[in-house]
């Protein structure tokens, strides 16, 4: 599937590409398989752009599926070695469990805000890309995957794991006490409380990932639309320290209009957080202007991009 953060008109021109999926693909892909198997025409399937010679059939977006109705992922066809992932210097047999899709936040460097906008514009007000799976369904899937694959570790594939209701959180804790397989996830500083970290640690939370992204409060607010204060970050890592929890902090450098002083603000904030909790680790990623993100538009407007239209992730930044 190709999301609208790419440029579908450019992608479909590639000689090696015959079909493009715009948006989520569960429904479109299953219908495509049925029609191919039945040797029937598939040029009008919703959610697909289909190229036939010089003609391209643009069929609009497909159904935004109810994620609670989807079957559990089938990992049985994969090589056993692919289950093993590194975590803190060891390899574990690890499985992924989806608890939501999308994100409630609107960071300017991310594709999620564009996806929310895309579905609202094309599907109407009842077409919300950000969806939480019912916690009963999540628990059922965890038990199913454990019974089938016997994992040693679980990763919850969610952009902001703790962006859930108190009711769902308490249900997760109550049920996971019976499981206690180590797990990790990613979330945001704003979602960290002493109540949830204490409970998560008791039922098997091993690690988590948090986004610092930038060390300047003003830059985060004005350019990145991340409005947490330094105090919120400090409080979060202090809570992690209290319960002996380690975390990986993600950072981005190379934003448009960022300078040496601003970069050192990021370094200083990470240093301060590490002084509070020495179980923290740090990632630094270079900014990429993904098509469809707000910062891509900003870069384009200010002439910061090269003219290489074949770079699908977003045009390369100029060397300046």
């Amino acid at each position: 599937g190709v999301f609208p953060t790419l440029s579908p008109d450019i992608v479909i021109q590639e000689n090696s590409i015959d079909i493009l999926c715009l948006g989520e693909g569960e429904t479109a892909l299953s219908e495509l398989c049925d029609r191919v198997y039945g040797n029937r025409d598939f040029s009008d399937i919703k959610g697909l752009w289909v190229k036939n010679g010089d003609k391209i059939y643009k069929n609009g977006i497909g159904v935004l599926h109810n994620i609670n109705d989807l079957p559990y992922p089938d990992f049985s066809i994969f090589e056993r070695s692919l289950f093993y992932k590194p975590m803190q210097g060891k390899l574990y047999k690890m499985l992924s469990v989806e608890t939501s899709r999308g994100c409630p936040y609107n960071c300017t460097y991310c594709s999620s805000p564009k996806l929310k906008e895309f579905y609202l514009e094309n599907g109407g007000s009842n077409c919300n890309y950000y969806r939480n799976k019912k916690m009963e369904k999540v628990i059922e899937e965890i038990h199913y995957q454990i019974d089938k694959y016997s994992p040693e570790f679980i990763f919850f594939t969610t952009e902001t794991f703790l962006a859930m209701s108190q009711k769902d959180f308490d249900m997760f804790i109550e049920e996971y006490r019976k499981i206690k397989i180590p797990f990790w996830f990613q979330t945001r500083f704003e979602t960290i409380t002493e109540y949830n970290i204490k409970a998560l640690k008791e039922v098997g939370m091993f690690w988590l990932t948090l986004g610092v992204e930038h060390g300047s409060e003003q830059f985060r607010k004005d350019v990145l639309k991340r409005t947490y204060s330094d105090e919120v970050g400090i409080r979060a890592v202090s809570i992690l320290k209290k319960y002996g929890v380690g975390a990986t902090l993600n950072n981005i450098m190379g934003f448009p209009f960022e300078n040496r002083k601003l970069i050192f603000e990021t370094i200083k904030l990470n240093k301060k957080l590490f002084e509070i909790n020495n179980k923290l680790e740090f990632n630094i990623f270079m900014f990429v202007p993904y098509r469809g993100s707000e910062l891509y538009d900003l870069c384009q407007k200010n002439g910061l991009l090269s003219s290489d239209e074949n770079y699908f992730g977003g045009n390369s930044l100029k060397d300046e």
Side-chain angles (χ1 to χ4, degrees):
V2 177
F3 287 115
T5 50
L6 306 184
S7 177
D9 285 297
I10 294 174
V11 175
I12 198 70
Q13 299 302 325
E14 286 290 307
N15 292 331
S16 59
I17 295 176
D18 300 308
I19 302 173
L20 193 67
C21 181
L22 199 63
E24 291 186 353
E26 282 102 345
T27 302
L29 182 58
S30 60
E31 187 170 355
L32 175 64
C33 291
D34 285 342
R35 295 206 196 180
V36 170
Y37 183 77
N39 197 29
R40 292 180 290 133
D41 176 63
F42 51 78
S43 62
D44 63 344
I45 296 176
K46 282 288 185 184
L48 298 184
W49 284 15
V50 181
K51 185 166 60 180
N52 186 356
D54 295 330
K55 185 170 180 57
I56 298 173
Y57 297 90
K58 300 180 180 181
N59 299 310
I61 66 168
V63 174
L64 193 60
H65 216 96
N66 183 342
I67 59 176
N68 295 293
D69 295 337
L70 296 174
Y72 303 136
D74 181 4
F75 301 116
S76 62
I77 64 172
F78 294 104
E79 293 286 341
R80 300 296 94 185
S81 62
L82 296 178
F83 284 100
Y84 289 86
K85 307 292 182 184
M87 171 55 66
Q88 293 301 295
K90 295 182 180 180
L91 287 176
Y92 294 93
K93 188 179 183 183
M94 191 177 297
L95 280 176
S96 300
V97 175
E98 180 184 54
T99 65
S100 72
R101 288 192 185 176
C103 181
Y105 298 96
N106 294 296
C107 301
T108 57
Y109 51 83
C110 181
S111 63
S112 279
K114 185 64 175 181
L115 288 164
K116 287 189 288 187
E117 178 186 322
F118 173 76
Y119 276 106
L120 286 172
E121 287 179 352
N122 292 278
S125 59
N126 63 340
C127 208
N128 186 4
Y129 177 70
Y130 172 59
R131 293 152 289 161
N132 278 301
K133 191 179 290 185
K134 291 179 181 178
M135 189 51 66
E136 295 90 342
K137 180 79 171 180
V138 173
I139 297 300
E140 286 176 9
E141 181 175 341
I142 293 171
H143 283 292
Y144 172 84
Q145 302 291 22
I146 289 173
D147 290 343
K148 189 165 185 178
Y149 301 107
S150 302
E152 301 170 305
F153 221 104
I154 291 176
F155 169 49
F156 291 105
T157 57
T158 298
E159 294 191 47
T160 311
F161 179 73
L162 292 176
M164 65 175 75
S165 69
Q166 190 65 51
K167 179 183 176 182
D168 280 352
F169 179 81
D170 290 339
M171 183 185 297
F172 173 83
I173 294 297
E174 181 181 353
E175 292 299 321
Y176 210 88
R177 286 188 192 280
K178 306 167 188 176
I179 300 168
K180 282 201 168 181
I181 292 176
F183 63 92
W184 74 283
F185 57 83
Q186 59 183 18
T187 193
R188 290 174 58 123
F189 286 132
E190 299 97 313
T191 67
I192 299 292
T193 66
E194 185 158 352
Y195 174 85
N196 59 33
I197 294 302
K198 181 177 184 293
L200 289 164
K201 180 65 184 296
E202 288 175 353
V203 300
M205 177 182 65
F206 184 85
W207 203 259
L208 68 156
T209 298
L210 296 158
V212 174
E213 313 309 2
H214 203 279
S216 166
E217 284 188 19
Q218 199 64 44
F219 192 88
R220 288 197 303 264
K221 178 182 176 182
D222 294 344
V223 180
L224 308 185
K225 290 188 177 177
R226 290 184 69 97
T227 57
Y228 78 88
S229 66
D230 289 354
E231 285 72 23
V232 167
I234 289 169
R235 184 179 70 233
V237 300
S238 298
I239 292 170
L240 298 181
K241 168 68 173 179
K242 180 176 179 179
Y243 292 98
V245 178
T248 300
L249 304 188
N250 288 335
N251 298 271
I252 304 174
M253 292 183 179
F255 286 113
F257 310 120
E258 189 179 36
N259 55 31
R260 179 182 175 85
K261 182 176 183 296
L262 286 168
I263 288 173
F264 269 90
E265 289 297 309
T266 298
I267 295 170
K268 289 175 185 176
L269 179 58
N270 280 271
K271 185 174 184 291
K272 181 183 294 186
L273 297 177
F274 182 73
E275 289 170 351
I276 295 168
N277 185 349
N278 63 8
K279 290 191 74 173
L280 299 179
E281 297 179 355
F282 305 88
N283 286 329
I284 299 176
F285 302 98
M286 297 308 297
F287 168 67
V288 176
Y290 292 120
R291 290 182 186 276
S293 68
E294 191 172 327
L295 283 191
Y296 175 87
D297 295 337
L298 178 69
C299 290
Q300 192 172 52
K301 180 180 178 181
N302 287 273
L304 301 177
L305 302 177
S306 74
S307 59
D308 182 6
E309 291 296 331
N310 293 316
Y311 176 51
F312 291 164
N315 300 65
S316 302
L317 287 170
K318 288 182 176 179
D319 294 326
E320 294 182 347

